[in-house]
DNA sequence: AAGATGACTAACT
DNA sequence: AAGTTAGCCATCT
């Protein structure tokens, strides 16, 4: 058919699929920053695109959007905003710790998620 | 069409 | 430590 140029779910935002894939792969209890997601998705230097992709993600994907924070380990929504509170609550429910509104990105990296699974929290 | 914006970041003051 | 600048580029006015 001349029709099947794209799948039912795509609405022209196909350029974000790789980003969504990466985010979907972040294990519970760990976080990545925008720049890191961009790099893993094959778009080094395009951190802003990740924020864009998150905002435009189809609901059908149900991405763990809360596992993406900024390079300082902080939530990139205005402090005290409903979105920020929700994100923090979701992360803390997974065992991510905040110290002074900041997450230790080294400690809660996906790389260390494996360690946590084998050894438990330090 | 051109300028402003933004779920960003690294480098520099 | 906190503010500014420059780079980034898809969207929105």
């Amino acid at each position: 058919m001349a029709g099947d140029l794209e799948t039912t779910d795509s609405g022209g935002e196909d350029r974000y699929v790789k980003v969504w894939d990466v985010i979907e792969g972040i294990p519970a209890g760990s976080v990545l920053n925008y720049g890191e997601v961009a790099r893993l998705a094959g778009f080094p230097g395009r951190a802003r695109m990740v924020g864009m992709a998150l905002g435009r993600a189809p609901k059908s994907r149900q991405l763990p959007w809360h596992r993406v924070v900024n390079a300082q380990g902080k939530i990139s929504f205005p402090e005290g905003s409903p979105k920020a509170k929700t994100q923090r609550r979701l992360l803390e429910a997974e065992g991510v710790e905040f110290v002074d509104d900041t997450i230790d990105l080294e400690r809660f990296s996906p790389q260390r998620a494996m360690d946590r699974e084998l050894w438990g929290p330090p």
Side-chain angles (χ1 to χ4, degrees):
Chain A
M1 304 292 289
D4 53 14
L5 293 166
E6 44 189 62
T7 67
T8 53
D9 207 353
S10 84
E13 292 153 344
D14 297 353
R15 70 187 57 162
Y16 297 131
V17 169
K18 278 292 290 176
V19 174
W20 296 332
D21 285 346
V22 169
I23 293 168
E24 210 164 40
I26 305 174
S30 51
V31 297
L32 280 180
N33 67 57
Y34 296 88
E36 203 57 19
V37 171
R39 198 161 55 76
L40 293 173
F43 305 105
R46 304 190 209 180
R48 305 194 82 131
M49 176 181 164
V50 174
M52 207 73 76
L54 277 165
R56 304 193 72 80
K59 201 186 274 188
S60 54
R61 294 216 51 156
Q62 295 187 347
L63 297 179
W65 59 272
H66 56 283
R67 296 181 194 145
V68 186
V69 298
N70 67 29
Q72 308 162 46
K74 297 175 101 177
I75 287 172
S76 272
F77 289 110
E79 197 174 317
S81 69
K83 291 257 195 151
K85 287 182 181 174
T86 299
Q87 184 169 9
R88 176 162 181 158
R89 182 174 48 71
L90 288 170
L91 287 173
E92 287 179 326
E94 298 182 346
V96 176
E97 295 172 23
F98 287 75
V99 176
D100 204 17
D101 293 314
T102 304
I103 301 165
D104 185 332
L105 293 179
E106 292 287 314
R107 213 175 135 208
F108 294 98
S109 70
Q111 165 88 61
R112 298 223 177 159
M114 178 62 82
D115 293 349
R116 282 195 297 281
E117 200 165 315
L118 294 174
W119 290 84

